[in-house]
Amino acid sequence: MGLVSKAVSLLAFVAFGWYLVRITLVSMQLFYPTLHVPVLKPHVKLPPGTTFHAMAWQEPFEYEAAMYVSTMESFLPQPEQFFNSSELIWHIGPESLSQRRAKFDTNLSIALPETVRTNNNTVLYAFLFVQRAGKMNPHPDLTDEFAAYARAALTSVRPRQVERKHALLGESSEGKVDREVNNALLEAGPWVPHGKTRVSWEIVLEDHKFPEWSFPLDLAPYLRVSKYRGRKERPYIPLIWENPIAARAKHWIPLTNQISVSQDTPLDVKTIDVDVSLNGIILGWFRLCNYAHQGLSELSSPRALIRHSESDVDNLKEMVYEVNPTMLAITIIAMTFHMLFEFLAYKEDVSFWSGKSESNLQGISRSSMLMKFASSWISFFYLYDRRKDTNIVVLLGAGAGAMVEAWKLTKVLSIRDFLPFMRASKGPATVDSKEEKSADSADAVLRDQVQREVDQQTAWYMVRVCVPAMIAYAAFSLVFLHHESYISWFLHVSLASVYTLEFIQMWPQLLINHKLKTVDMLPLTAFLYRFLLTFIDDLYALVVPMPLIERIGTLRDDVVFIVLCYQWYKFPRRKTDKQKKE
């Protein structure tokens, strides 16, 4: 078993190293497509005389930008009609090209045209034009070959989001009927016009040189190549787009107060407030967001093997877009370490407990094991109930942990041990004479006696202190907080109670360690991996979307593991049976 365990650990570290190398190579390919590194990214041989595509804008260069709104889908067929019917709502510039990471943002109140308000099938578009300064008088010069432009939809017909949470007590009959109707309509998919409240324009002002017609495939749909008159050079126009992962479901607001509307139903909203930004970005960020958008579109597609909900996709969008790129890179590496240490911790845990039997369980707190089992399963069911707000990685990790805890409990408790354990909380601790007679040594008897004393003390405090507090919080939550159903309320109260108890769930084991002056009865290798996981989880909780109560619970393990590490350092290690025989 020892060789198998070491082989599995070695394979895990090899897979981890290979994964880090792959991440490094992919990052280099995304951010520096023309960079050549020996062995890792060798130089591609090009035929003699190969020409390169460079960016059309070269310093000294000044540009300005203008944003228009219109109901026309394109400005190319009839430019004059477009500018006559559109409205200029934002202007920037002139700005110098030397500021390649410039950032501009504003909040605009956009009035909805009458055609949009009376015809729900009419879409309002935003157009952004960026070109050389001085050519926008009075409108952008569409004959300019080096002009960059992009389009974004400001209105769309989307499913209305109905708030499912409500007060379980004190709700009027009319409110209950309205809620049931809303939920029924939500299940049927009521589609109503929505307006976008965030538009994030991005432009790549870095000057990259690509071999002739050898652009990365993911950039091809966004590149425009121009040609100088009488020259062979073919410069490319700067990449510009509206970042598709910037706007999520919460950035779309209904334009009508009605649950469902027909095509000719007038809209109630006359203006929408839109946060608009124009940011100069690096090529790697553009490509990363493009790949993320394509991948997330596949996850929400009906063709996907496991189709993800809109909330799952929004969580991943938030994780990529809302985090600083440096922080995102650190988070990805931390997630890799998290997967490695979590796998090794489970492996060491299973390896340790698979060799346990009833004869060598002295010194292990049954109450801690029982509370850990209950807390892991309640946490899993709570996360599953809140799966729309929970990352799938967090949910799968909670499920795996709950399964391991259930298996470990079968090694510690049985039906004949469970009932006496519950009855023992009423009186002082005693040691079963039959167990004492069957003990191999006085040390084993001492460990078993200490374990029973601590377990009974824990049960005593739980019944007399924690249970009243749980009942009080359950009543408060039922009366003053909103929940989707009574099951959601029960899971919320259970998890809140569990997180309160989990501050003391490891203390029985720590108290046993203190009385016996040893930590030999615990899987220290698994605890070492858990200790590393706690600090990774702290970083993970800052980035990965999860319920607030789960986020607070990550701080629990820090305190317990610091005390455990102190005990491991303070108490001398006992000799094993093999060392005693030698």
Side-chain angles (χ1 to χ4, degrees), residues 164-168 179 477-478 480-486 488-490 492-493:
R164 291 179 176 271
K165 292 185 178 181
H166 58 280
L168 298 178
R179 176 175 53 80
S477 177
L478 182 62
F480 296 102
L481 301 184
H482 289 187
H483 305 276
E484 294 183 9
S485 63
Y486 281 99
S488 298
W489 164 75
F490 175 76
H492 173 80
V493 171

PDB file of all heavy atoms in Angstrom, residues 164-168 179 477-478 480-486 488-490 492-493:
ATOM      1  N   ARG A 164     -37.071  34.896  -6.890  1.00  0.00           N
ATOM      2  CA  ARG A 164     -37.697  33.714  -6.310  1.00  0.00           C
ATOM      3  C   ARG A 164     -37.791  33.793  -4.783  1.00  0.00           C
ATOM      4  O   ARG A 164     -38.623  33.140  -4.176  1.00  0.00           O
ATOM      5  CB  ARG A 164     -36.911  32.459  -6.698  1.00  0.00           C
ATOM      6  CG  ARG A 164     -37.025  32.108  -8.185  1.00  0.00           C
ATOM      7  CD  ARG A 164     -36.195  30.863  -8.487  1.00  0.00           C
ATOM      8  NE  ARG A 164     -36.337  30.436  -9.874  1.00  0.00           N
ATOM      9  CZ  ARG A 164     -37.270  29.603 -10.310  1.00  0.00           C
ATOM     10  NH1 ARG A 164     -38.158  29.120  -9.459  1.00  0.00           N
ATOM     11  NH2 ARG A 164     -37.346  29.255 -11.583  1.00  0.00           N
ATOM     12  N   LYS A 165     -36.910  34.554  -4.155  1.00  0.00           N
ATOM     13  CA  LYS A 165     -36.915  34.613  -2.699  1.00  0.00           C
ATOM     14  C   LYS A 165     -38.072  35.462  -2.205  1.00  0.00           C
ATOM     15  O   LYS A 165     -38.407  36.494  -2.800  1.00  0.00           O
ATOM     16  CB  LYS A 165     -35.590  35.181  -2.189  1.00  0.00           C
ATOM     17  CG  LYS A 165     -34.394  34.256  -2.436  1.00  0.00           C
ATOM     18  CD  LYS A 165     -33.148  34.814  -1.811  1.00  0.00           C
ATOM     19  CE  LYS A 165     -31.964  33.883  -2.007  1.00  0.00           C
ATOM     20  NZ  LYS A 165     -30.732  34.407  -1.377  1.00  0.00           N
ATOM     21  N   HIS A 166     -38.647  35.046  -1.095  1.00  0.00           N
ATOM     22  CA  HIS A 166     -39.786  35.765  -0.531  1.00  0.00           C
ATOM     23  C   HIS A 166     -39.884  35.419   0.948  1.00  0.00           C
ATOM     24  O   HIS A 166     -39.234  34.488   1.437  1.00  0.00           O
ATOM     25  CB  HIS A 166     -41.078  35.365  -1.251  1.00  0.00           C
ATOM     26  CG  HIS A 166     -41.356  33.891  -1.186  1.00  0.00           C
ATOM     27  ND1 HIS A 166     -40.735  32.990  -2.016  1.00  0.00           N
ATOM     28  CD2 HIS A 166     -42.166  33.153  -0.380  1.00  0.00           C
ATOM     29  CE1 HIS A 166     -41.151  31.765  -1.752  1.00  0.00           C
ATOM     30  NE2 HIS A 166     -42.019  31.841  -0.750  1.00  0.00           N
ATOM     31  N   ALA A 167     -40.678  36.204   1.654  1.00  0.00           N
ATOM     32  CA  ALA A 167     -40.901  35.933   3.074  1.00  0.00           C
ATOM     33  C   ALA A 167     -41.811  34.718   3.221  1.00  0.00           C
ATOM     34  O   ALA A 167     -42.902  34.678   2.651  1.00  0.00           O
ATOM     35  CB  ALA A 167     -41.515  37.156   3.748  1.00  0.00           C
ATOM     36  N   LEU A 168     -41.362  33.732   3.987  1.00  0.00           N
ATOM     37  CA  LEU A 168     -42.144  32.516   4.156  1.00  0.00           C
ATOM     38  C   LEU A 168     -43.327  32.727   5.091  1.00  0.00           C
ATOM     39  O   LEU A 168     -44.351  32.050   4.971  1.00  0.00           O
ATOM     40  CB  LEU A 168     -41.258  31.387   4.691  1.00  0.00           C
ATOM     41  CG  LEU A 168     -40.092  30.976   3.773  1.00  0.00           C
ATOM     42  CD1 LEU A 168     -39.263  29.883   4.416  1.00  0.00           C
ATOM     43  CD2 LEU A 168     -40.610  30.511   2.420  1.00  0.00           C
ATOM     44  N   ARG A 179     -46.725  35.710  -6.695  1.00  0.00           N
ATOM     45  CA  ARG A 179     -45.446  34.995  -6.741  1.00  0.00           C
ATOM     46  C   ARG A 179     -45.586  33.689  -7.509  1.00  0.00           C
ATOM     47  O   ARG A 179     -44.726  33.325  -8.312  1.00  0.00           O
ATOM     48  CB  ARG A 179     -44.951  34.727  -5.316  1.00  0.00           C
ATOM     49  CG  ARG A 179     -43.676  33.903  -5.266  1.00  0.00           C
ATOM     50  CD  ARG A 179     -43.167  33.782  -3.840  1.00  0.00           C
ATOM     51  NE  ARG A 179     -44.186  33.288  -2.941  1.00  0.00           N
ATOM     52  CZ  ARG A 179     -44.496  31.993  -2.832  1.00  0.00           C
ATOM     53  NH1 ARG A 179     -43.884  31.102  -3.574  1.00  0.00           N
ATOM     54  NH2 ARG A 179     -45.412  31.594  -1.968  1.00  0.00           N
ATOM     55  N   SER A 477     -34.414  33.863  11.109  1.00  0.00           N
ATOM     56  CA  SER A 477     -34.316  33.724   9.659  1.00  0.00           C
ATOM     57  C   SER A 477     -35.688  33.509   9.031  1.00  0.00           C
ATOM     58  O   SER A 477     -35.977  34.032   7.951  1.00  0.00           O
ATOM     59  CB  SER A 477     -33.388  32.563   9.305  1.00  0.00           C
ATOM     60  OG  SER A 477     -33.318  32.364   7.923  1.00  0.00           O
ATOM     61  N   LEU A 478     -36.535  32.740   9.701  1.00  0.00           N
ATOM     62  CA  LEU A 478     -37.860  32.454   9.153  1.00  0.00           C
ATOM     63  C   LEU A 478     -38.732  33.701   9.111  1.00  0.00           C
ATOM     64  O   LEU A 478     -39.508  33.906   8.174  1.00  0.00           O
ATOM     65  CB  LEU A 478     -38.528  31.361   9.979  1.00  0.00           C
ATOM     66  CG  LEU A 478     -39.913  30.891   9.523  1.00  0.00           C
ATOM     67  CD1 LEU A 478     -39.826  30.276   8.133  1.00  0.00           C
ATOM     68  CD2 LEU A 478     -40.509  29.915  10.520  1.00  0.00           C
ATOM     69  N   PHE A 480     -37.644  37.169   9.421  1.00  0.00           N
ATOM     70  CA  PHE A 480     -37.121  38.419   8.860  1.00  0.00           C
ATOM     71  C   PHE A 480     -36.388  38.258   7.528  1.00  0.00           C
ATOM     72  O   PHE A 480     -36.225  39.249   6.818  1.00  0.00           O
ATOM     73  CB  PHE A 480     -36.172  39.075   9.879  1.00  0.00           C
ATOM     74  CG  PHE A 480     -36.845  39.504  11.140  1.00  0.00           C
ATOM     75  CD1 PHE A 480     -36.739  38.738  12.298  1.00  0.00           C
ATOM     76  CD2 PHE A 480     -37.610  40.656  11.181  1.00  0.00           C
ATOM     77  CE1 PHE A 480     -37.365  39.124  13.470  1.00  0.00           C
ATOM     78  CE2 PHE A 480     -38.225  41.059  12.346  1.00  0.00           C
ATOM     79  CZ  PHE A 480     -38.120  40.300  13.496  1.00  0.00           C
ATOM     80  N   LEU A 481     -35.912  37.073   7.184  1.00  0.00           N
ATOM     81  CA  LEU A 481     -35.154  36.892   5.946  1.00  0.00           C
ATOM     82  C   LEU A 481     -36.022  36.268   4.864  1.00  0.00           C
ATOM     83  O   LEU A 481     -37.063  35.684   5.152  1.00  0.00           O
ATOM     84  CB  LEU A 481     -33.923  36.013   6.204  1.00  0.00           C
ATOM     85  CG  LEU A 481     -32.930  36.534   7.251  1.00  0.00           C
ATOM     86  CD1 LEU A 481     -31.715  35.624   7.328  1.00  0.00           C
ATOM     87  CD2 LEU A 481     -32.494  37.968   6.938  1.00  0.00           C
ATOM     88  N   HIS A 482     -35.577  36.391   3.621  1.00  0.00           N
ATOM     89  CA  HIS A 482     -36.306  35.865   2.472  1.00  0.00           C
ATOM     90  C   HIS A 482     -35.634  34.594   1.964  1.00  0.00           C
ATOM     91  O   HIS A 482     -34.405  34.516   1.891  1.00  0.00           O
ATOM     92  CB  HIS A 482     -36.363  36.901   1.344  1.00  0.00           C
ATOM     93  CG  HIS A 482     -37.261  38.059   1.651  1.00  0.00           C
ATOM     94  ND1 HIS A 482     -37.558  39.031   0.730  1.00  0.00           N
ATOM     95  CD2 HIS A 482     -37.929  38.407   2.787  1.00  0.00           C
ATOM     96  CE1 HIS A 482     -38.371  39.915   1.264  1.00  0.00           C
ATOM     97  NE2 HIS A 482     -38.607  39.566   2.523  1.00  0.00           N
ATOM     98  N   HIS A 483     -36.451  33.620   1.576  1.00  0.00           N
ATOM     99  CA  HIS A 483     -35.950  32.342   1.068  1.00  0.00           C
ATOM    100  C   HIS A 483     -36.845  31.879  -0.071  1.00  0.00           C
ATOM    101  O   HIS A 483     -38.011  32.297  -0.181  1.00  0.00           O
ATOM    102  CB  HIS A 483     -35.915  31.274   2.172  1.00  0.00           C
ATOM    103  CG  HIS A 483     -35.134  31.681   3.378  1.00  0.00           C
ATOM    104  ND1 HIS A 483     -33.775  31.544   3.462  1.00  0.00           N
ATOM    105  CD2 HIS A 483     -35.530  32.250   4.555  1.00  0.00           C
ATOM    106  CE1 HIS A 483     -33.358  31.991   4.635  1.00  0.00           C
ATOM    107  NE2 HIS A 483     -34.404  32.427   5.320  1.00  0.00           N
ATOM    108  N   GLU A 484     -36.298  31.001  -0.912  1.00  0.00           N
ATOM    109  CA  GLU A 484     -37.074  30.492  -2.038  1.00  0.00           C
ATOM    110  C   GLU A 484     -38.156  29.521  -1.576  1.00  0.00           C
ATOM    111  O   GLU A 484     -39.228  29.450  -2.172  1.00  0.00           O
ATOM    112  CB  GLU A 484     -36.150  29.796  -3.050  1.00  0.00           C
ATOM    113  CG  GLU A 484     -35.184  30.744  -3.737  1.00  0.00           C
ATOM    114  CD  GLU A 484     -34.342  30.035  -4.777  1.00  0.00           C
ATOM    115  OE1 GLU A 484     -34.645  28.859  -5.057  1.00  0.00           O
ATOM    116  OE2 GLU A 484     -33.398  30.641  -5.295  1.00  0.00           O
ATOM    117  N   SER A 485     -37.872  28.720  -0.562  1.00  0.00           N
ATOM    118  CA  SER A 485     -38.823  27.723  -0.082  1.00  0.00           C
ATOM    119  C   SER A 485     -38.425  27.338   1.337  1.00  0.00           C
ATOM    120  O   SER A 485     -37.389  27.781   1.860  1.00  0.00           O
ATOM    121  CB  SER A 485     -38.829  26.488  -0.994  1.00  0.00           C
ATOM    122  OG  SER A 485     -37.557  25.860  -0.971  1.00  0.00           O
ATOM    123  N   TYR A 486     -39.239  26.488   1.961  1.00  0.00           N
ATOM    124  CA  TYR A 486     -38.913  26.021   3.301  1.00  0.00           C
ATOM    125  C   TYR A 486     -37.684  25.128   3.275  1.00  0.00           C
ATOM    126  O   TYR A 486     -36.938  25.057   4.262  1.00  0.00           O
ATOM    127  CB  TYR A 486     -40.104  25.271   3.904  1.00  0.00           C
ATOM    128  CG  TYR A 486     -41.181  26.197   4.432  1.00  0.00           C
ATOM    129  CD1 TYR A 486     -42.310  26.478   3.674  1.00  0.00           C
ATOM    130  CD2 TYR A 486     -41.044  26.811   5.675  1.00  0.00           C
ATOM    131  CE1 TYR A 486     -43.293  27.329   4.139  1.00  0.00           C
ATOM    132  CE2 TYR A 486     -42.023  27.668   6.157  1.00  0.00           C
ATOM    133  CZ  TYR A 486     -43.146  27.925   5.382  1.00  0.00           C
ATOM    134  OH  TYR A 486     -44.105  28.788   5.850  1.00  0.00           O
ATOM    135  N   SER A 488     -35.083  25.619   1.282  1.00  0.00           N
ATOM    136  CA  SER A 488     -33.969  26.566   1.253  1.00  0.00           C
ATOM    137  C   SER A 488     -33.731  27.171   2.630  1.00  0.00           C
ATOM    138  O   SER A 488     -32.576  27.355   3.050  1.00  0.00           O
ATOM    139  CB  SER A 488     -34.247  27.671   0.233  1.00  0.00           C
ATOM    140  OG  SER A 488     -34.355  27.145  -1.066  1.00  0.00           O
ATOM    141  N   TRP A 489     -34.816  27.495   3.329  1.00  0.00           N
ATOM    142  CA  TRP A 489     -34.670  28.025   4.691  1.00  0.00           C
ATOM    143  C   TRP A 489     -34.009  26.995   5.601  1.00  0.00           C
ATOM    144  O   TRP A 489     -33.097  27.331   6.372  1.00  0.00           O
ATOM    145  CB  TRP A 489     -36.041  28.389   5.244  1.00  0.00           C
ATOM    146  CG  TRP A 489     -36.065  28.590   6.734  1.00  0.00           C
ATOM    147  CD1 TRP A 489     -35.592  29.667   7.418  1.00  0.00           C
ATOM    148  CD2 TRP A 489     -36.543  27.663   7.718  1.00  0.00           C
ATOM    149  NE1 TRP A 489     -35.755  29.485   8.775  1.00  0.00           N
ATOM    150  CE2 TRP A 489     -36.336  28.258   8.986  1.00  0.00           C
ATOM    151  CE3 TRP A 489     -37.126  26.409   7.648  1.00  0.00           C
ATOM    152  CZ2 TRP A 489     -36.692  27.620  10.169  1.00  0.00           C
ATOM    153  CZ3 TRP A 489     -37.484  25.773   8.824  1.00  0.00           C
ATOM    154  CH2 TRP A 489     -37.272  26.373  10.052  1.00  0.00           C
ATOM    155  N   PHE A 490     -34.435  25.746   5.517  1.00  0.00           N
ATOM    156  CA  PHE A 490     -33.847  24.705   6.359  1.00  0.00           C
ATOM    157  C   PHE A 490     -32.358  24.517   6.060  1.00  0.00           C
ATOM    158  O   PHE A 490     -31.537  24.399   6.980  1.00  0.00           O
ATOM    159  CB  PHE A 490     -34.600  23.390   6.142  1.00  0.00           C
ATOM    160  CG  PHE A 490     -33.996  22.223   6.877  1.00  0.00           C
ATOM    161  CD1 PHE A 490     -34.175  22.073   8.243  1.00  0.00           C
ATOM    162  CD2 PHE A 490     -33.238  21.285   6.191  1.00  0.00           C
ATOM    163  CE1 PHE A 490     -33.603  21.005   8.916  1.00  0.00           C
ATOM    164  CE2 PHE A 490     -32.666  20.217   6.856  1.00  0.00           C
ATOM    165  CZ  PHE A 490     -32.855  20.071   8.226  1.00  0.00           C
ATOM    166  N   HIS A 492     -30.323  26.745   4.727  1.00  0.00           N
ATOM    167  CA  HIS A 492     -29.596  27.937   5.155  1.00  0.00           C
ATOM    168  C   HIS A 492     -29.334  27.915   6.661  1.00  0.00           C
ATOM    169  O   HIS A 492     -28.217  28.173   7.115  1.00  0.00           O
ATOM    170  CB  HIS A 492     -30.385  29.186   4.772  1.00  0.00           C
ATOM    171  CG  HIS A 492     -29.797  30.452   5.307  1.00  0.00           C
ATOM    172  ND1 HIS A 492     -28.725  31.085   4.717  1.00  0.00           N
ATOM    173  CD2 HIS A 492     -30.125  31.209   6.400  1.00  0.00           C
ATOM    174  CE1 HIS A 492     -28.415  32.156   5.412  1.00  0.00           C
ATOM    175  NE2 HIS A 492     -29.252  32.261   6.429  1.00  0.00           N
ATOM    176  N   VAL A 493     -30.383  27.604   7.429  1.00  0.00           N
ATOM    177  CA  VAL A 493     -30.228  27.550   8.889  1.00  0.00           C
ATOM    178  C   VAL A 493     -29.272  26.433   9.284  1.00  0.00           C
ATOM    179  O   VAL A 493     -28.424  26.601  10.168  1.00  0.00           O
ATOM    180  CB  VAL A 493     -31.602  27.364   9.558  1.00  0.00           C
ATOM    181  CG1 VAL A 493     -31.448  27.095  11.040  1.00  0.00           C
ATOM    182  CG2 VAL A 493     -32.473  28.589   9.324  1.00  0.00           C
TER     183      VAL A 493
END
